[in-house]
Amino acid sequence: GVPGMQVLRQLRADKHLLPVLVLTARTTLEDKVDGLDSGADDYLTKPFAFSELDARLEVLQRRSTAALNMDTRLRVGDLELDQLSRTASRAGHVIELQPREYRLLEYLMRHAGQVVTRTMLLEHVWDYHFDPQTNVIDVHISRLRSKIDKGYDTSLLHTVRGAGYMIHESR
């Protein structure tokens, strides 16, 4: 009797790591975004071909297996992101992140020291392959910056004017 997205949000809030593939008849862009923002790893709408379902499940399995065989922590300065527990901390203090903020931080940290463009973020964090002319990136970067930099002497998340964003330890 509980909506699926509510169950998914609770699973992620409780730090459950199991891969989640949403199978649904809800096909609007808002439904898809809500599902992914709620913590789904993938989203497949009905009707679907079983071969596609099988392929998506294989990808989720590969990701889970690969995660077990690699260092699961990303670090930039005193900021740490644990990909298995999906937790972030700075100087030992836990940082509460929404699912999209987590994905954004993970992407930035995987590309630490490199300029990450808005197009890269749209494609890899939001899965948009076009520019929707929205300020969604600016809003999320601002929220993330306040969570990881506010109250610390050293800023880690930097805007590279005219190019994008970069996360690195100041020298």
Side-chain angles (χ1 to χ4, degrees):
V2 179
M5 290 307 120
Q6 184 177 339
V7 171
L8 180 54
R9 281 189 286 274
Q10 188 59 52
L11 281 171
R12 294 307 187 217
D14 293 342
K15 308 294 186 211
H16 288 280
L17 304 176
L18 66 135
V20 175
L21 169 63
V22 172
L23 298 175
T24 181
R26 296 177 175 259
T27 61
T28 68
L29 178 59
E30 292 81 14
D31 290 329
K32 293 175 185 179
V33 168
D34 182 45
L36 294 170
D37 278 346
S38 295
D41 296 290
D42 200 355
Y43 193 99
L44 184 61
T45 58
K46 298 175 188 175
F48 56 86
F50 283 103
S51 58
E52 181 180 7
L53 172 62
D54 187 47
R56 288 175 184 257
L57 291 171
E58 295 250 348
V59 167
L60 289 176
Q61 179 62 39
R62 253 193 330 265
R63 286 183 195 157
S64 296
T65 302
L68 293 174
N69 296 324
M70 61 183 261
D71 184 10
T72 64
R73 295 180 190 271
L74 299 173
R75 292 177 187 84
V76 175
D78 59 354
L79 178 65
E80 185 175 288
L81 187 77
D82 186 323
Q83 298 170 94
L84 276 184
S85 64
R86 296 184 65 87
T87 58
S89 63
R90 180 149 186 205
H93 297 95
V94 174
I95 301 169
E96 295 294 328
L97 297 173
Q98 296 298 316
R100 185 73 64 181
E101 293 167 341
Y102 174 87
R103 290 177 62 193
L104 176 59
L105 181 59
E106 180 183 35
Y107 190 80
L108 288 165
M109 290 182 75
R110 284 182 182 276
H111 297 87
Q114 302 171 8
V115 174
V116 175
T117 67
R118 294 174 62 81
T119 300
M120 291 166 71
L121 293 174
L122 284 170
E123 289 179 359
H124 297 283
V125 177
W126 278 267
D127 200 29
Y128 290 163
H129 297 283
F130 62 95
D131 186 353
Q133 299 297 317
T134 177
N135 69 340
V136 68
I137 292 175
D138 304 316
V139 169
H140 279 79
I141 288 286
S142 177
R143 286 184 193 158
L144 188 58
R145 183 176 278 135
S146 71
K147 289 183 177 188
I148 68 170
D149 285 342
K150 188 175 181 180
Y152 294 94
D153 293 334
T154 306
S155 294
L156 299 176
L157 183 52
H158 306 275
T159 300
V160 181
R161 297 217 186 275
Y165 303 95
M166 182 186 298
I167 193 163
H168 66 86
E169 188 173 16
S170 297
R171 302 168 220 272

